Amino acid sequence: MAQNFRKQIDFLLENACPGIRYQVHRDMLGTSVEEPFMKGLQQEILGQANVQKHLKAQQPDGWFGQELHGIDGMDCHILGLLNLGVEASQPCIQKAAAALTTPEIAGHHKNWFRGGEALDADGRGGNRAVTAGILSRTGAREDIPVLQEEIALSLEHMRAALKYRSLEDFSVRGKRERYYKPNARFPGANHISLLANTQSWRGEENLQMVREAVRHGYELMKDCNEYITFRKPKEYGSGFVGPFHFNWQVLAPMEEADLQEILDAPYSFRFGFWLQDITGLPDWARQSTSAWELLADCMEKGMLPERIPEKALKAFRQIAGREPDWRRKISVKCDITFAVLKACVPVLGLE
């Protein structure tokens, strides 16, 4: 059901930073990025303090930060820039994508993360999954081998999910942790996200298959309160490493009490991560629209950000803050308002 977010959009266009205003125009109002005022906004974005912080981490050969995955990793910096409104076509982004796919450059950097090689070898997706995920967000051609192969692997995980009847079919409950069986196939966040951000696989048969796979995966996982980890084979050092786990519980129907529980959770990052998880969730993965409708209702009633506890607000800023300066209350409201609209508009539409 389409929503009238005009009041919130007008508020953002009047008060928000250039990065938010740009994304409202581009992603919600359908404004062409070729419009002169949009090009002007893009230049303002590149000058924002939080954007400059990322840009200063880019090395002369195009690599961002000191590693592939992590706080100072390629993924963090590139996705950070994109989330702040920097266009994927900007030279800084394209140079980074080229560095990532050029062995002579990537090999000079820490183009791996702990456990990534083992995850790749098992077929769950590790270093290669991170690389493909970055490329999928930068406008890269989908026939690049690593991207093409990770898309195929993601579809393989989806198909496999349809064969299972219980958690025990693809995971083992150890003494302390539940972990995936060797070479088990079951969708993770990397698989769902990669398919959400790519197009080449989207035939009618595949789309129907992934809808059924997510629906079935949700039925298997909706009552599971355990985190399924990954046990490294001995040749990779044994021990456990966290795979890219998908939060299946975000697919559950929501009522107001459920949202309040998220806001009041002792873990202050819960709201920010939950909002991040439901943002950009593709239509073939959604099981209901109740979460987005609830957020839209809270927004319309003026309950956000006032309803969000201070600790949860601070945690949200670390996860998804776009405003460079939170000393003004209006900046906090802009950040929350935009994040909620970014989640809701693609699902509910605009009147």
Side-chain angles (χ1 to χ4, degrees):
M1 181 174 64
Q3 298 284 320
N4 184 357
F5 291 119
R6 191 70 245 183
K7 180 173 64 176
Q8 289 79 18
I9 287 175
D10 288 344
F11 167 77
L12 291 175
L13 293 179
E14 182 177 345
N15 297 287
C17 65
I20 288 178
R21 299 201 314 271
Y22 184 88
Q23 292 179 79
V24 168
H25 274 293
R26 183 191 65 190
D27 301 334
M28 300 177 195
L29 300 179
T31 306
S32 169
V33 299
E34 297 302 320
E35 290 284 347
F37 83 91
M38 289 289 278
K39 290 184 177 181
L41 275 178
Q42 185 66 194
Q43 290 306 307
E44 288 186 59
I45 291 169
L46 292 172
Q48 281 186 185
N50 47 3
V51 170
Q52 283 293 311
K53 185 176 180 180
H54 286 294
L55 293 179
K56 288 176 181 177
Q58 188 166 36
Q59 301 184 39
D61 61 8
W63 192 273
F64 272 103
Q66 302 299 320
E67 53 193 345
L68 175 67
H69 173 56
I71 293 176
D72 192 23
M74 278 279 268
D75 57 350
C76 180
H77 288 296
I78 292 178
L79 297 183
L81 288 168
L82 295 173
N83 287 334
L84 291 171
V86 175
E87 280 290 336
S89 59
Q90 284 289 343
C92 58
I93 302 289
Q94 291 305 307
K95 189 174 182 179
L100 191 61
T101 54
T102 304
E104 294 79 8
I105 297 177
H108 287 294
H109 299 278
K110 186 183 175 184
N111 60 340
W112 51 273
F113 66 95
R114 188 181 69 85
E117 188 178 1
L119 286 163
D120 280 331
D122 187 77
R124 286 224 59 78
N127 300 326
R128 293 172 60 80
V130 173
T131 299
I134 294 171
L135 293 174
S136 73
R137 296 288 302 275
T138 61
R141 298 189 330 272
E142 293 183 21
D143 60 355
I144 294 175
V146 66
L147 189 48
Q148 196 173 52
E149 290 160 13
E150 288 299 309
I151 290 172
L153 181 62
S154 298
L155 292 171
E156 186 180 321
H157 278 264
M158 289 289 189
R159 291 190 189 94
L162 291 166
K163 302 176 183 178
Y164 302 134
R165 293 294 171 263
S166 75
L167 276 172
E168 310 306 322
D169 290 340
F170 58 91
S171 67
V172 175
R173 185 70 182 90
K175 291 181 179 179
R176 297 181 180 178
E177 304 183 69
R178 178 174 290 278
Y179 54 91
Y180 286 104
K181 291 181 178 180
N183 300 306
R185 299 290 186 262
F186 190 76
N190 54 314
H191 309 118
I192 292 174
S193 175
L194 184 61
L195 294 177
N197 290 319
T198 52
Q199 300 293 323
S200 58
W201 62 274
R202 293 178 185 242
E204 185 176 340
E205 184 177 333
N206 276 342
L207 282 168
Q208 182 61 28
M209 182 272 292
V210 296
R211 284 191 189 96
E212 293 174 1
V214 174
R215 186 182 307 119
H216 187 62
Y218 170 64
E219 289 300 320
L220 291 173
M221 296 293 292
K222 64 181 181 181
D223 297 320
C224 176
N225 295 317
E226 296 179 281
Y227 177 86
I228 306 178
T229 188
F230 173 73
R231 186 177 185 177
K232 293 190 293 183
K234 290 182 179 179
E235 59 267 33
Y236 291 98
S238 299
F240 293 92
V241 63
F244 298 107
H245 181 71
F246 179 69
N247 182 5
W248 293 93
Q249 280 66 41
V250 301
L251 302 181
M254 283 196 74
E255 297 181 357
E256 189 168 342
D258 300 316
L259 176 58
Q260 193 61 52
E261 181 185 352
I262 290 172
L263 292 172
D264 294 337
Y267 179 56
S268 60
F269 287 86
R270 187 175 174 189
F271 170 71
F273 282 130
W274 171 78
L275 186 56
Q276 179 178 263
D277 286 342
I278 68 168
T279 300
L281 198 65
D283 59 349
W284 45 262
R286 298 193 293 265
Q287 304 302 299
S288 80
T289 58
S290 58
W292 295 272
E293 290 168 357
L294 188 58
L295 278 174
D297 185 59
C298 288
M299 182 71 73
E300 184 60 31
K301 291 177 179 177
M303 299 167 69
L304 299 175
E306 288 76 13
R307 192 171 170 180
I308 305 173
E310 186 66 25
K311 288 184 178 180
L313 275 176
K314 290 180 179 179
F316 164 85
R317 188 186 186 191
Q318 293 183 51
I319 297 167
R322 292 173 173 84
E323 286 284 344
D325 184 2
W326 264 36
R327 285 174 293 185
R328 300 185 311 149
K329 285 187 177 180
I330 201 166
S331 296
V332 179
K333 186 172 182 179
C334 285
D335 248 340
I336 295 294
T337 300
F338 176 72
V340 172
L341 289 187
K342 185 176 175 65
C344 290
V345 169
V347 178
L348 304 177
L350 284 173
E351 287 183 354

